[in-house]
Amino acid sequence: MILHVFNPEHDIALAAHLKNFTAPHAGRQLRHDLGFLPALWAEADDVVLVDDIESIPRSWRYRCRCRLVEKRELVRLKFDAIEPWGWDLALRANLVRYGVDERLLPSEDAIEQVRLLSHRRVSAWLLPLLRVDGMVGEAFECTTADDVDKLIGRYGRVVLKAPWSSSGRGLRFVTEMNHIEGWLKNLLATQGSVMLEPYYNKVKDFGMEFYSDGNGNVGFLGLSLFHTANGAYTGNVLATEKAKREWISDYLPTTLLDAVQEQVCRLLGERFRGCYCGPFGIDMMIVARDDRDGFLLHPCVEINLRRTMGHVALGLSPSDDEVKRVMRIDYSNNNYKLIIRRL
């Protein structure tokens, strides 16, 4: 039996790196309202930790094959493994408080490895290794404001990213140093650096979802066609792999996708050997060429070393090539809701 945990505040918890961490209100609300999400891929004899079973909409409770439990029940249950959205010190400490057997939890040293691999510098490391014809993308780690200023002078318009941050947070689109000095000073003091990328003329977002076994093997799980607004996730397309590949082929040759997929499996299989076992996703984007008509692939906007909404979408994907739906997270009446509608 596997215990599944949806902890969407994971990225912020990694940045804080504290055992006693209180997530922002939005993160706590998201966990409370959508804690049932792992039931979409859990097996029938698994359990899913939720804050309040009665708050889960009946329509979703009826669709759950597995059992939903609250934290007070954990001390009485025996698990074979635990699969969270992502591992961080705060989640580990909370599970210990709830009475979960520590032998099932990763050590604090192992979580430190996850944190280091979750730093955006790993994306910057991978990016040039994937560079072939038809691709674009650069990324730099800056440790001083002068480093940032020089690169703004070189590229004109850039994107600054906190090394650890969650969907849409910790991003700044800038053309000059004015108005970001305070933000940048605080970020350099708390996280040690800032990641900088040239601004690209994005046409579409998409991603690839993978699984690492921790022994040097990475497997490809599927494509993720998603939407963002100001860097924040807004929704996913639910379609078969065939339909998603056909959609991307309007912009890029699918042979390019296959080449990237193969290289990611090989390069990150070795990088994650002995360090990370679990799901992860790589955000990518289709970029318009500046010099002529056509499109380029940015193959590594960022690596999410955790489960992603793309994994959730894979759990809801139809088997019919003609069926296409959209999955989005809606916030209304002080609640988050998972909405699925036909395209």
Side-chain angles (χ1 to χ4, degrees):
M1 179 170 64
I2 295 174
L3 169 65
H4 298 269
V5 184
F6 178 55
N7 55 316
E9 72 279 7
H10 165 70
D11 293 323
I12 303 174
L14 278 183
H17 202 44
L18 299 170
K19 295 179 183 179
N20 297 313
F21 167 74
T22 300
H25 173 75
R28 300 196 306 273
Q29 187 74 47
L30 190 60
R31 183 181 66 227
H32 177 274
D33 296 341
L34 298 181
F36 66 89
L37 282 182
L40 300 176
W41 58 83
E43 298 296 332
D45 60 348
D46 291 346
V47 295
V48 175
L49 177 65
V50 297
D51 285 358
D52 179 8
I53 294 176
E54 293 303 316
S55 71
I56 306 299
R58 289 185 179 182
S59 58
W60 284 110
R61 271 189 274 164
Y62 291 150
R63 293 181 62 173
C64 295
R65 297 184 302 163
C66 60
R67 179 183 171 190
L68 304 179
V69 301
E70 298 174 10
K71 62 183 181 183
R72 65 177 179 271
E73 301 176 66
L74 294 184
V75 70
R76 301 193 301 269
L77 299 175
K78 301 297 182 183
F79 311 108
D80 299 309
I82 301 170
E83 293 187 5
W85 192 254
W87 280 113
D88 52 68
L89 281 182
L91 176 63
R92 186 186 191 281
N94 281 332
L95 291 175
V96 170
R97 293 188 194 103
Y98 302 159
V100 173
D101 188 343
E102 282 197 68
R103 291 174 295 182
L104 295 174
L105 305 176
S107 67
E108 293 184 9
D109 287 344
I111 290 177
E112 175 65 13
Q113 284 292 322
V114 171
R115 184 172 186 268
L116 292 175
L117 289 172
S118 298
H119 193 292
R120 282 193 165 106
R121 69 165 66 100
V122 178
S123 301
W125 163 82
L126 179 64
L127 185 55
L129 301 180
L130 299 174
R131 187 72 57 81
V132 297
D133 289 342
M135 295 188 192
V136 68
E138 293 179 281
F140 307 90
E141 183 175 10
C142 301
T143 56
T144 68
D146 285 344
D147 293 340
V148 173
D149 196 32
K150 289 176 183 176
L151 287 169
I152 292 175
R154 181 192 305 179
Y155 291 104
R157 189 177 184 187
V158 303
V159 184
L160 298 179
K161 299 180 178 181
W164 294 282
S165 64
S166 63
S167 178
R169 296 174 180 266
L171 269 65
R172 296 291 187 277
F173 297 85
V174 301
T175 56
E176 56 184 26
M177 290 290 285
N178 291 343
H179 310 300
I180 65 163
E181 290 94 340
W183 175 82
L184 181 59
K185 181 180 180 180
N186 179 66
L187 184 63
L188 293 176
T190 56
Q191 297 198 26
S193 65
V194 64
M195 302 304 298
L196 181 148
E197 302 170 12
Y199 176 84
Y200 296 103
N201 186 10
K202 180 179 72 175
V203 176
K204 295 289 183 182
D205 288 304
F206 77 101
M208 293 184 182
E209 309 300 340
F210 299 90
Y211 188 89
S212 167
D213 69 358
N215 297 315
N217 302 304
V218 165
F220 174 68
L221 301 180
L223 292 166
S224 170
L225 307 186
F226 63 92
H227 305 286
T228 60
N230 298 318
Y233 172 85
T234 58
N236 257 85
V237 172
L238 306 181
T240 63
E241 287 301 300
K242 178 182 177 183
K244 288 182 284 188
R245 285 174 64 88
E246 289 176 352
W247 180 86
I248 294 177
S249 70
D250 290 341
Y251 303 89
L252 300 168
T254 55
T255 52
L256 184 57
L257 299 182
D258 295 336
V260 170
Q261 173 191 322
E262 181 181 344
Q263 290 183 54
V264 166
C265 290
R266 175 175 53 82
L267 292 166
L268 291 185
E270 285 304 311
R271 184 67 184 259
F272 294 164
R273 184 190 293 273
C275 299
Y276 180 72
C277 176
F280 68 94
I282 298 183
D283 291 347
M284 305 178 182
M285 62 184 178
I286 299 168
V287 175
R289 288 182 179 270
D290 292 329
D291 53 347
R292 60 182 187 275
D293 292 340
F295 306 96
L296 297 167
L297 169 65
H298 190 311
C300 186
V301 177
E302 67 181 40
I303 301 171
N304 296 302
L305 206 65
R306 52 169 170 76
R307 199 172 292 276
T308 70
M309 293 306 294
H311 288 95
V312 177
L314 290 177
L316 293 168
S317 294
S319 56
D320 186 338
D321 292 337
E322 300 304 315
V323 175
K324 297 178 179 65
R325 297 187 177 92
V326 63
M327 175 192 80
R328 62 185 178 86
I329 305 298
D330 179 62
Y331 183 74
S332 60
N333 299 321
N334 297 317
N335 290 107
Y336 288 98
K337 299 179 179 67
L338 182 67
I339 306 295
I340 298 175
R341 291 197 173 99
R342 185 181 289 268
L343 284 175

